Amino acid sequence: MTPIIDVQQVNKAFGGLRVINDGSIQVTKGSITGMIGPNGAGKSTLFNLIAGALTPDSGRVLLDGEDITALSANARFHKGLLRTFQIAHEFSHMSALENLMMVPSHQPGENLFTTWFKPRLVREHDAKVRRRALEVIDFIGLYHVRNELAGNLSGGQKKLLELGRTMMTDAKVVLLDEIAAGVNRTLLGDLIGNIERLNQEMGYTFLVIEHDMDMIARLCDPVIVLAQGSVMMEGNIDDVQNNPEVIEAYFGGSAA
Ligand SMILES: Nc1ncnc2c1ncn2[C@@H]1O[C@H](COP(=O)(O)OP(=O)(O)OP(=O)(O)O)[C@@H](O)[C@H]1O
Ligand SMILES: [Mg+2]
């Protein structure tokens, strides 16, 4: 089967520093694939190369078999490749529900022509977006705070809202970079449950960067280990945690 994400021998340097060295990873459609590695290994950089925030010096990125290396982040977004972002400052004064309704899509309301000449179409579309936003906010368990300003939500609730934003579009692949950081155990359980449901019920594929090994163990198979800009190994969580090279990379051998 064609991998949904296929990163082929990608290189990226910042100044003289080579951060991604011949990075090649494949993500299977329908999987929740984990990515771990020491600080500075290049995980977030690789995400940015996949999402289009960065362009590789060489190599290719394919989405479902299509070469997307030259496409902008926005074009990739519209193809269903999403990464979560922290709720931007300018959205913190809008309600949780409005934050979901703001997610860009092909909205007729944004086109001046349709706004002026087809107001009924715009109204119908807005009503549809609102219905969808209400469904999503219920799904992520934030219905009770739907009218609260996003800026007043707790850290964990903001993470749930970020995940909710990915559900406002037809996402195929969602990239999650350390969403568990700073989230309490109860909300983390909700977050994990939501990711599993999106995966199983809606067919989302996830690529998950996480330092929290419990979360990786609960959610991810396979797990890719990145070290110094290259893939060190890929396997299930047990293979990874028992691999001497991985232990060395994380603990400098002291754990052996
Ligand atoms: N825009 C940039 N300019 C210069 N160097 C950068 C830039 N972005 C990242 N780097 C460097 O690239 C290396 C990899 O960074 P990256 O953020 O990808 O690591 P990471 O694996 O996500 O680490 P962490 O687990 O700490 O988040 C680091 O040495 C970092 O300093
Ligand atoms: Mg990072």
Side-chain angles (χ1 to χ4, degrees), residues 6-7 10 25-26 28 30 36-37 43 49 61 66 70-71 79 91 97-99 106 111 124 143 153 186 224 239 244:
D6 191 0
V7 177
V10 159
I25 66 164
Q26 279 82 42
T28 303
I36 64 169
K43 303 179 297 295
L49 291 164
V61 180
E66 180 191 352
L71 295 186
K79 286 187 178 289
F91 292 149
L97 189 67
E98 284 165 342
N99 263 272
H106 301 287
N111 178 319
E124 279 172 8
Y143 192 83
L153 298 183
T186 312
I224 296 168
D239 296 342

Side-chain angles (χ1 to χ4, degrees), residues 221-235:
D221 190 22
V223 179
I224 296 168
V225 185
L226 207 67
Q228 297 177 341
S230 304
V231 174
M232 177 177 267
M233 74 164 291
E234 181 182 327

Side-chain angles (χ1 to χ4, degrees), residues 14 17 19 37-45 178 211:
F14 295 113
L17 183 69
V19 172
N39 293 120
K43 303 179 297 295
S44 297
T45 303
E178 293 194 43
H211 285 294

